[in-house]
Amino acid sequence: MAEKIYSEIPMRTWRWLGVNEARGEETVDLPSQDVRVAAGEVRELTVAYRQEGQSSLRARVEAGGMLKLTTVQLVPGSGFFGGDIEIYLAEGARLEASAVEAGAGQSISRMRVYLQGDGAQASVYVLYFGDGDRRLDMNYIMVQEGKNTEAKLYVHGALLGQADKIFRGTLDFRRGAKGSRGYEKEQAVVLSGKVRNRSVPLMLSAEEAVEGHHAVSIGKIDDSKLFYLMSRGLDLTEARRLVVEAAFNPVLDRIEAEELRQELQTYIKERLADA
Amino acid sequence: MENKEKTFVEDIERTLYDIRNEERAAYKSRQGLTEQVVRDISSRKDDPEWMLERRLEALAVYDTLALPSWGPDLSSLNMEEIVAYVKPDAKMAGRWEDVPEDIRATFDRLGIPEAEETSLAGVGAQYDSEVVYHSIQESLVRQGVIYTDMETALREHEQLVREHFMKLVPPKDHKFAALHGAVWSGGSFVYVPEGVQVEIPLQSYFRLNAPGAGQFEHTLIILEKNSSLHFIEGCSAPKYNVTNLHAGCVELFVGEGARLRYSTIENWSRNMMNLNTKRALVEKDGLIEWVSGSFGSRVSMLYPCSILHGENARCEFTGVTFASKGQNLDTGASVIHAAHYTSANISTRTISKAGGQAVYRSAVKVTPHAHHIKCSVNCESLMLDDISRSDTLPVMDIQGDEAAVGHEATIGRISEEAVFYLMCRGISEDEARAMIVRGFVEPIAKELPLEYAVEMNNLINIELEGTMG
C-alpha cells in the first residue's frame, strides 16, 4: 500500500529531526463516530481499539456539557493503527479525556481539542507504553480560542526494547483567548539503551494575557527509587515494574471501567516482565 | 472605567546605527549569483586554486538546494537583486589613522576604537565585504596568538585554513551555507596555541553600508588544548528600503580542555535578512559558552549549534531576543551530545511587542551509545501586547537510556501580583513594570560585557506612562 501523511506538526522545524509529519501506510477505514453532547449533559464514552485500521472520532460538547472520554489502543500484533480524535468545546464545556497507547506495531494518533467557548476546560491524560520494536507517533493539539479557557495535557510514558516514539504536544493560544491557561507536562521513563525517544512540546501564542507552561522530563528510572525498593527485598525486575506502574497510575486511575483498567494493568505488567 | 494607556516600550534606539555613508565602493560585483560572479570574487581576492574549486562546488550545491520549508517567510529575498561583493575604497590598515575618514567616523560612532583602547586585546572591523582594520596586542603575538582577517589567514596560514574551512558547516548543510561557501568574503581568523589564556576579549565588528548588498563574512576560531578566549562579535547596518542579506558563517574548534566564550550583539537594520550559521566542535573537557543578543533584522534565522564531541565537553547557551514591529526573529540553539558525560545548559528569554514575532527553536540530540548525558533547556517568553506572537518549538531526540534531559518553557505577560508586590513597597506602577522587564532579561544581561549590558538596558527603554496591562 502507498504511504500517506496522517498528521503534521502545527509549526514545522528542521527536517533531520523527522518530527514534521507522521507517515504510515494507507490502511482500511474503521467505522467513525460522531458524538454530540447536549448543553448541560454529562456523557461518558469509552472506546477500546483492538483492530488494525484507521479510526476517527469527532465530538461536539455544547455549552456547559461534559464529555468523559476514555480511549484505549490495544491492537494486537505488529499491525498498524491510526487514530484521529477531534473535539469541540463550547462555552463552559468540559472534556476529561484519558488516552492509552499501548498496542500495534505502528500507531499514529492525533487528538485535536478546540476550546472555542469562553471558560471551556480540557484535561487530557495520556499514557504511552512502547516495547519490542513498536513505533508510536502521537500528536496532541490543544487550541485555546475562548476567553478564560484552561487546557491540561499530562503525559506519562515508558519505553523499552527498541521502541521508537514521537510525542508532539501543542498548546496553541489564539488571539482573543484572554485569561486562558495551558499546562503541558511529559514524563518519559526509558528502560532500554536501544530506545529512540523524541519529544516536541510546542507552545504557540498570539495573545499576551495568557499563562502557558510546558515541561518535559526524560530519563531512566531514578536509581535511589530502585535502591529503596530493592533494599526491601524486591529484585530489579520487580522494582522497575513497580516504579513504572506507579508512574502510570495517574492515568490508569482515571479509567472508570474496572475491567478495562485491570486488563491494562495486567497487559503492562506482563510486558514489563517479558522485557 | 479608567481608560489606561499601554506603556510604550521603546523600540531599539537606532539613530546611531542608521547614519549612512555615501556609497563609495572600489568595486561591486554584478547583482545576482552566477559562476562568473563567483570566479570574479575569487580572482579579485587572489584565492588559491583549491578555494576557487570549493567556491564553485558550493555554487553547484546552492543551485540544487531549495529554501527551507520551515521558519520565517523568505519569499521576499530575491538573490537576483543582491550584490554579493562590495569592496570598499580602503585597504586593510593596522592604524585607525590609515582608515578613510568616513569609514573611520562610522566605527568611531559605534565606539570601536574607544573600546579597543580600554577593554579589548584586539579588534577587527569589516566594512561591507572587506576587513578595513585589524589589530592585536603585541603580547599576544609573542605568545603565538593569531588574530587576523580571513584573507590574510588564507595567505599566511593556508594549511590551517584549508584543514578547517567549512568543515563544521559544509555547503550541503543548507542553501545559505552553500551561498556562503560560494561568495564568502572577509571575517576573522583566530588561533590560540596550547595553554595560552587570552585574558582580554577580542572583538570583530561587521558593518554593512551598501544598500541591496550581502555580507558573507567567515569567522574561524581554533583553540588548542587548554587555551581560552573571549571573542565578541557585533553587527549593524543603516536602514534602506531594499533588502540586505547577511549569511555569515562561524566555525569554532574548541580543543581539549579549552574554553571559548562567543558573545554576539546583533543589531542589523530592519531591512536585513539575517541568515547566519554558527557551529562549534568541542573536544574532551572543553567548554563553549554562547552569549547571544538578537535585536535587529527584519528576519533572523539563527541557531548556534554545539557538537559536544569529546568526553565531558560542555555547552552553556544564554540568549535574548527582542522582536518588535515588522520583525520575525526565529532564534534558538541546538546541541548534539556525541560523547559520554557531556552536558549542556540552554537558557533563553524572548520578548515580543508591537506586532513582532519571536520564535524560540531548539534541538537537543543525544546520539546512540553516549551515556551519562545531562541537558537542561529553559525558555521564557514575555509578550507585551496582543498583536504580537511568541512561539516556542523545542525538539528533543534522545537515543539510549543514559540521558537525563529536561525542558521547561513558560509564556505570559507581566505578573500583576509582582506589580502589586512592588507597589506595596512604594514603587510606582510604571517603574514596577519597568523593573520586571529589566529583571526578565537580567540573567542574560549579566553575561554580557559591561558596555553591551548597558546598551541592552538602553535598548529596553520603558517610557513611564500608563500601564502595560
Side-chain angles (χ1 to χ4, degrees):
Chain A
M1 282 192 189
E3 195 181 60
K4 77 170 196 177
I5 294 173
Y6 280 84
S7 80
E8 289 182 77
I9 197 169
M11 186 175 176
R12 295 175 73 82
T13 191
W14 291 288
R15 207 173 43 187
W16 58 270
L17 292 161
V19 299
N20 284 333
E21 61 266 315
R23 293 171 184 274
E25 286 188 354
E26 283 194 35
T27 184
V28 292
D29 284 337
L30 301 173
S32 63
Q33 293 183 75
D34 221 329
V35 178
R36 182 177 164 273
V37 180
E41 184 191 356
V42 177
R43 173 86 66 90
E44 286 186 31
L45 180 63
T46 299
V47 187
Y49 301 105
R50 300 175 188 278
Q51 195 182 340
E52 281 184 40
Q54 185 186 354
S55 149
S56 70
L57 187 157
R58 178 185 287 234
R60 188 172 290 279
V61 185
E62 305 293 0
M66 180 176 180
L67 175 63
K68 290 184 174 182
L69 175 67
T70 302
T71 57
V72 176
Q73 189 270 104
L74 280 171
V75 175
S78 59
F80 174 84
F81 178 79
D84 191 14
I85 296 172
E86 200 174 11
I87 295 167
Y88 296 86
L89 301 175
E91 188 178 347
R94 289 171 62 192
L95 168 71
E96 284 190 6
S98 303
V100 176
E101 290 287 344
Q106 183 188 7
S107 70
I108 296 178
S109 58
R110 175 172 67 175
M111 179 187 280
R112 289 171 291 177
V113 180
Y114 297 90
L115 295 93
Q116 295 178 318
D118 294 351
Q121 292 180 24
S123 298
V124 177
Y125 284 71
V126 182
L127 184 163
Y128 63 78
F129 182 77
D131 64 343
D133 53 3
R134 219 172 275 278
R135 286 185 292 155
L136 298 94
D137 187 303
M138 292 158 279
N139 190 9
Y140 283 67
I141 302 165
M142 317 289 273
V143 181
Q144 295 180 249
E145 296 173 351
K147 291 186 179 67
N148 300 313
T149 63
E150 183 174 88
K152 293 177 182 170
L153 179 57
Y154 293 136
V155 185
H156 301 266
L159 298 169
L160 46 157
Q162 296 158 58
D164 185 342
K165 158 256 158 184
I166 300 174
F167 185 88
R168 305 173 198 81
T170 303
L171 298 173
D172 185 356
F173 297 101
R174 297 283 170 89
R175 194 170 173 192
K178 290 188 185 301
S180 292
R181 296 175 302 280
Y183 308 97
E184 178 190 346
K185 188 170 187 181
E186 183 193 352
Q187 289 177 292
V189 179
V190 181
L191 299 163
S192 153
K194 293 178 179 169
V195 156
R196 185 171 189 189
N197 181 15
R198 279 171 281 185
S199 295
V200 193
L202 287 91
M203 192 152 55
L204 314 175
S205 181
E207 175 57 59
E208 57 153 348
V210 297
E211 187 186 316
H213 184 88
H214 67 206
V216 173
S217 153
I218 299 165
K220 60 177 188 173
I221 295 179
D222 186 346
D223 282 341
S224 62
K225 283 183 187 168
L226 290 178
F227 178 78
Y228 177 85
L229 292 168
M230 290 170 77
S231 68
R232 271 144 187 82
L234 273 70
D235 65 24
L236 181 62
T237 309
E238 286 175 324
R240 278 157 54 116
R241 181 175 57 76
L242 212 60
V243 173
V244 172
E245 282 180 9
F248 284 169
N249 278 341
V251 185
L252 293 175
D253 286 349
R254 294 167 61 88
I255 297 174
E256 291 181 7
E258 180 67 27
E259 248 177 60
L260 189 57
R261 190 173 67 241
Q262 280 184 0
E263 182 186 353
L264 272 169
Q265 280 168 334
T266 307
Y267 177 88
I268 291 165
K269 197 176 286 187
E270 286 173 1
R271 290 299 180 104
L272 281 168
D274 288 349
Chain B
M1 191 178 158
E2 187 188 355
N3 184 21
K4 289 185 171 180
E5 278 184 51
K6 294 215 170 196
T7 298
F8 177 64
V9 180
E10 182 61 270
D11 269 356
I12 289 163
E13 169 61 44
R14 289 205 50 90
T15 317
L16 176 70
Y17 306 100
D18 273 338
I19 297 173
R20 308 168 185 176
N21 288 351
E22 184 190 343
E23 202 192 341
R24 199 163 44 79
Y27 172 76
K28 278 173 81 170
S29 65
R30 277 183 294 173
Q31 287 181 319
L33 186 63
T34 62
E35 183 177 329
Q36 192 49 47
V37 167
V38 173
R39 284 185 180 277
D40 192 32
I41 293 171
S42 184
S43 158
R44 286 178 179 277
K45 300 177 85 65
D46 204 15
D47 279 346
E49 189 58 28
W50 63 267
M51 180 56 83
L52 171 62
E53 283 170 18
R54 287 207 198 173
R55 285 182 188 274
L56 293 173
E57 283 166 18
L59 177 66
V61 173
Y62 174 84
D63 288 335
T64 63
L65 295 178
L67 288 172
S69 60
W70 51 273
D73 178 15
L74 303 177
S75 59
S76 63
L77 176 65
N78 182 359
M79 269 313 293
E80 297 304 309
E81 293 175 354
I82 295 287
V83 176
Y85 179 67
V86 181
K87 183 178 169 57
D89 189 10
K91 289 190 174 141
M92 214 223 358
R95 300 188 317 159
W96 282 109
E97 292 76 24
D98 297 335
V99 176
E101 176 63 31
D102 57 339
I103 297 178
R104 191 173 75 222
T106 301
F107 288 109
D108 270 341
R109 278 194 297 272
L110 295 166
I112 308 301
E114 189 187 343
E116 180 183 5
E117 278 182 21
T118 56
S119 54
L120 297 170
V123 163
Q126 176 158 342
Y127 192 83
D128 291 334
S129 298
E130 295 290 354
V131 175
V132 294
Y133 174 83
H134 234 288
S135 77
I136 178 171
Q137 283 182 356
E138 192 55 38
S139 60
L140 292 178
V141 176
R142 281 199 297 272
Q143 292 178 80
V145 175
I146 303 166
Y147 178 41
T148 185
D149 63 295
M150 276 301 294
E151 282 76 4
T152 304
L154 194 51
R155 282 197 307 276
E156 297 179 2
H157 311 282
E158 184 176 344
Q159 198 49 39
L160 210 47
V161 173
R162 190 170 183 170
E163 281 170 22
H164 294 87
F165 186 84
M166 295 206 79
K167 286 290 155 69
L168 288 183
V169 185
K172 285 181 181 169
D173 214 68
H174 57 83
K175 194 168 183 71
F176 296 100
L179 172 65
H180 177 91
V183 298
W184 76 271
S185 178
S188 290
F189 174 81
V190 186
Y191 175 82
V192 184
E194 183 175 339
V196 174
Q197 317 296 316
V198 180
E199 307 284 356
I200 306 173
L202 304 178
Q203 177 175 13
S204 284
Y205 199 95
F206 301 100
R207 175 77 177 174
L208 182 52
N209 183 67
Q215 194 170 62
F216 307 99
E217 86 287 351
H218 195 94
T219 301
L220 176 58
I221 299 179
I222 302 165
L223 262 62
E224 296 287 12
K225 194 174 175 183
N226 297 327
S227 62
S228 72
L229 171 71
H230 183 185
F231 188 87
I232 303 169
E233 175 192 66
C235 10
S236 70
K239 187 169 183 183
Y240 294 105
N241 54 9
V242 292
T243 299
N244 277 32
L245 170 64
H246 176 236
C249 180
V250 174
E251 296 184 290
L252 312 174
F253 293 84
V254 182
E256 204 176 307
R259 300 167 65 100
L260 173 60
R261 173 173 277 221
Y262 195 94
S263 302
T264 306
I265 293 290
E266 180 272 295
N267 197 9
W268 293 115
S269 53
R270 303 280 171 84
N271 58 316
M272 182 69 82
M273 293 263 192
N274 180 38
L275 311 172
N276 213 4
T277 308
K278 299 181 178 182
R279 204 159 291 167
L281 182 73
V282 189
E283 300 297 350
K284 187 181 176 195
D285 297 324
L287 169 66
I288 176 74
E289 293 176 283
W290 302 95
V291 180
S292 183
S294 295
F295 300 99
S297 308
R298 174 153 57 90
V299 169
S300 256
M301 293 177 80
L302 178 62
Y303 326 96
C305 171
S306 308
I307 304 165
L308 304 178
H309 186 249
E311 273 187 28
N312 204 33
R314 289 179 295 145
C315 163
E316 295 278 337
F317 181 93
T318 310
V320 62
T321 295
F322 190 121
S324 190
K325 187 178 179 183
Q327 292 184 286
N328 187 344
L329 305 187
D330 200 304
T331 60
S334 61
V335 181
I336 297 170
H337 292 268
H340 310 320
Y341 300 100
T342 54
S343 60
N345 189 12
I346 298 173
S347 175
T348 66
R349 302 281 189 278
T350 67
I351 302 174
S352 49
K353 69 165 283 263
Q357 181 172 1
V359 177
Y360 167 76
R361 188 186 298 271
S362 68
V364 173
K365 183 169 178 66
V366 178
T367 58
H369 315 302
H371 58 72
H372 291 87
I373 305 302
K374 284 186 181 165
C375 182
S376 161
V377 182
N378 182 286
C379 168
E380 292 185 29
S381 304
L382 185 65
M383 292 181 70
L384 299 183
D385 56 46
D386 59 3
I387 55 170
S388 304
R389 273 202 75 90
S390 183
D391 302 323
T392 64
L393 203 177
V395 181
M396 284 144 276
D397 182 358
I398 318 296
Q399 288 176 274
D401 64 345
E402 292 284 353
V405 178
H407 171 91
E408 199 162 350
T410 57
I411 194 163
R413 61 172 175 174
I414 291 175
S415 154
E416 292 305 321
E417 288 83 0
V419 173
F420 180 72
Y421 176 87
L422 291 168
M423 288 173 70
C424 287
R425 274 140 190 84
I427 296 167
S428 74
E429 182 175 349
D430 292 332
E431 180 54 23
R433 290 176 186 279
M435 281 174 75
I436 292 165
V437 173
R438 290 190 199 110
F440 180 72
V441 296
E442 195 270 341
I444 314 298
K446 74 179 185 192
E447 296 298 328
L448 293 171
L450 183 62
E451 62 274 26
Y452 284 110
V454 171
E455 185 184 341
M456 192 170 85
N457 267 341
N458 289 339
L459 296 179
I460 304 164
N461 172 25
I462 309 276
E463 287 191 5
L464 302 178
E465 58 177 60
T467 71
M468 208 174 290

